[in-house]
Amino acid sequence: MCEVCTTSRGLSRRGFLGSGLGAAGLAAAGMMGALALPSAAWAQAPARPNAIPPAEALKRLQDGNARYAANTSTQSDFSAGRLARASAQYPFAAILSCADSRLAPEFAFDQGAGELFVCRVAGNFINTDGLASLEYGVAVLGVPLIMVLGHSNCGAIDATIKVVKDNVVLPGHLPELVNALKPGIEAAIAQKPADLLAAATVENVRFNAKRMQSSSSILSQAVADKKLMVVGAVYDIATGKVNMVEV
């Protein structure tokens, strides 16, 4: 994990903006100005390549996944556009996905570098760091779509089920991860589904898609202004297909 990621937990917003990183890095990126823009100003900002309706962004993801699942992916030249991307990025979707090595969002949606703003953590749950990253993606990069992406046979979900149901004790920092996943898993257990792992995966996606909006005025305002859509989905490791989840 990078030094910035690990130290940012201990910084307040004022301390972050007042640090060397805030003064140099964020000013260069235009972050302070972008975060200060009211909704009306966003509409007047210069058009960007990713300034598309949220529904169009979702369709791009779905079309890309259809190509991937059918083994007709178009992404093969990874050097294309590298020089152009050196100065700016215009991702059209942000993906909150699991860290599972069998799920690579760029491949699953047949997208090239610079197209997706991806945040990954085991169990695809939202925390303060992830929320800040997604706020940056929306407020500064202009991302019109956020997808919370779970996947089949998720080890983090399965481990949390064992802790909740069987009182299994996990070592190290794993209990913190389990605590973050409990709300969705407990909601699934209450339903007494035939396939608890599958149901818990869906409920975890649903819970975190809702939580990120209720926890962030930046995201909730963008949704209210119809500049942003937050959706949920589950990736099937065996087939490569992504199925939408009603949020």
Side-chain angles (χ1 to χ4, degrees):
M1 184 175 292
C2 66
E3 182 178 348
V4 172
C5 296
T6 55
T7 57
S8 64
R9 292 187 179 88
L11 288 175
S12 66
R13 183 175 184 274
R14 177 177 296 178
F16 181 66
L17 295 178
S19 66
L21 178 63
L26 299 190
M31 183 174 186
M32 289 182 284
L35 291 179
L37 282 177
S39 300
W42 284 16
Q44 300 171 6
R48 301 181 180 191
N50 61 347
I52 60 175
E56 182 179 333
L58 179 58
K59 188 176 186 304
R60 284 192 190 181
L61 289 183
Q62 292 174 319
D63 290 348
N65 177 248
R67 293 192 300 271
Y68 172 76
N71 201 30
T72 58
S73 297
T74 59
Q75 297 298 324
S76 58
D77 185 0
F78 295 101
S79 66
R82 186 177 292 155
L83 183 60
R85 291 192 298 269
S87 59
Q89 59 171 319
Y90 301 101
F92 72 86
I95 311 291
L96 172 60
S97 74
C98 185
D100 193 293
S101 63
R102 298 166 294 179
L103 169 56
E106 290 84 358
F107 289 151
F109 294 108
D110 190 28
Q111 300 300 323
E115 301 289 346
L116 302 180
F117 187 75
V118 181
C119 301
R120 302 184 67 173
V121 62
N124 47 273
F125 64 87
I126 194 72
N127 59 11
T128 303
D129 295 340
L131 192 60
S133 295
L134 292 172
E135 288 177 335
Y136 177 86
V138 171
V140 180
L141 301 181
V143 168
L145 177 75
I146 296 176
M147 175 181 283
V148 180
L149 183 62
H151 68 90
S152 61
N153 301 323
C154 181
I157 299 294
D158 188 49
T160 303
I161 291 173
K162 289 181 171 62
V163 169
V164 174
K165 292 195 67 178
D166 305 327
N167 296 317
V168 171
V169 178
L170 300 178
H173 294 287
L174 288 173
E176 296 176 30
L177 183 149
V178 166
N179 287 335
L181 294 176
K182 274 185 178 181
I185 277 65
E186 289 175 338
I189 291 174
Q191 298 170 9
K192 299 181 180 180
D195 188 338
L196 178 55
L197 179 56
T201 299
V202 169
E203 288 301 326
N204 180 60
V205 165
R206 185 175 288 129
F207 174 81
N208 283 284
K210 292 179 178 178
R211 185 187 176 204
M212 70 172 62
Q213 296 176 74
S214 64
S215 301
S216 169
S217 59
I218 292 175
L219 300 187
S220 62
Q221 186 61 58
V223 170
D225 292 340
K226 300 188 185 305
K227 297 290 185 181
L228 173 70
M229 182 189 298
V230 178
V231 300
V234 174
Y235 172 81
D236 188 282
I237 291 177
T239 65
K241 294 180 179 180
V242 172
N243 298 302
M244 300 302 297
V245 169
E246 183 178 354
V247 175

